[in-house]
Amino acid sequence: MLKVNYDGAVFCETNEAGLGAVIRNSAGRVVASGVERITLPQSVAEVEAAAARRAIVLAKELNLSSITLEGDSEIITRALQDAEQSFATFGNLIDEIRFHADSFLNCNFSYVERKENSVTYSLARHAKHVSGLVVWREDVPPPIVSVLLADSG
């Protein structure tokens, strides 16, 4: 079971948002990480849902079989855990995440406190410095290494 953490960050000055994802194995080692800069959605919840979608798509592209998708948005986690269709503005993203979740042998949705999600928050903030989507295999971008080491220790 691999942990797939996600987070979003808002860049109001440029009307954009950053999405961050990190995938770690049971020993806490990075399998992959990614960042993406997108046009700012209408709400923070939509940013978080977009980050969750980016994370699960990354996990799917890596052909992983069992994951726990973990984020620090209680609203998004509850929406993903709820069997009912979401009629929120981010409902289409929730539906897409659930669709992708069905392709895994095992996929759980979990909430994590913000302080336990510092690597993905830093990745989301780092998206300000990239164009489009950037993915690292078994690594994080250099500016995030210190956050990763602090999180691991």
Side-chain angles (χ1 to χ4, degrees), residues 48-64:
E48 293 289 332
R53 178 188 60 196
R54 167 47 47 216
I56 201 166
V57 168
L58 177 60
K60 187 176 176 181
E61 289 170 346
L62 293 172
N63 294 314
L64 305 178

Side-chain angles (χ1 to χ4, degrees), residues 75-96:
I75 293 169
I76 299 306
T77 301
R78 276 197 309 265
L80 289 168
Q81 292 171 338
D82 189 355
E84 299 296 317
Q85 182 178 5
S86 175
F87 293 103
T89 57
F90 52 84
N92 60 327
L93 293 169
I94 297 299
D95 291 342
E96 187 179 342

Side-chain angles (χ1 to χ4, degrees), residues 68-127:
T68 296
L69 187 66
E70 211 170 59
D72 59 20
S73 170
E74 289 184 73
I75 293 169
I76 299 306
T77 301
R78 276 197 309 265
L80 289 168
Q81 292 171 338
D82 189 355
E84 299 296 317
Q85 182 178 5
S86 175
F87 293 103
T89 57
F90 52 84
N92 60 327
L93 293 169
I94 297 299
D95 291 342
E96 187 179 342
I97 294 164
R98 287 187 190 142
F99 172 78
H100 290 302
D102 287 342
S103 67
F104 294 91
L105 183 61
N106 188 13
C107 181
N108 300 308
F109 305 111
S110 180
Y111 169 76
V112 64
E113 296 284 333
R114 175 173 279 280
K115 66 184 177 206
E116 297 172 31
N117 212 25
S118 60
V119 173
T120 50
Y121 180 70
S122 296
L123 284 164
R125 298 289 307 158
H126 183 71

